[in-house]
Amino acid sequence: MPIYAYKCESCGHAKDVLQKISDAPLTECPACGKATFSKQITAAGFQLKGSGWYVTDFRGGSGGTSAAATGAAAAGATASAESSASTADAAPAAGCGGSCACHPSSS
């Protein structure tokens, strides 16, 4: 049976209630007795974790990507970033002319 969160609009009293899905929603506040007790919308109380679950497994859309394809794309992006970083280290920056502390002489 699911647990539903309720809150009174009049006095602010909040309570979690274990109910069947088919049960009628509660309307009377147990604290103040007014008919302003209503169900709240809450987030799901579970997450799929572990090596067998992927974030894209149960989302709608174009079917998602496999973990292997995602890993290969990430590895390619990392190699590309490292390649461009080493190129930037070798070439002097536009304003320094290569004679600054950030570009040691290669002699």
Side-chain angles (χ1 to χ4, degrees):
M1 283 194 297
I3 298 173
Y4 294 101
Y6 281 87
K7 185 174 182 182
C8 179
E9 298 298 323
S10 296
C11 68
H13 176 73
K15 184 177 181 180
D16 292 340
V17 181
L18 182 67
Q19 285 185 299
K20 292 181 184 178
I21 294 174
S22 60
D23 287 348
L26 302 176
T27 56
E28 187 177 322
C29 176
C32 69
K34 294 184 180 177
T36 55
F37 208 47
S38 61
K39 253 186 219 183
Q40 301 295 298
I41 297 174
T42 59
F46 72 96
Q47 292 181 344
L48 302 175
K49 291 185 176 181
S51 62
W53 301 101
Y54 297 97
V55 174
T56 58
D57 280 353
F58 296 102
R59 289 192 179 171
S62 62
T65 59
S66 70
T70 305
T78 303
S80 174
E82 288 172 358
S83 171
S84 64
S86 65
T87 304
D89 288 341
C96 70
S99 61
C100 62
C102 65
H103 293 94
S105 62
S106 59
S107 45

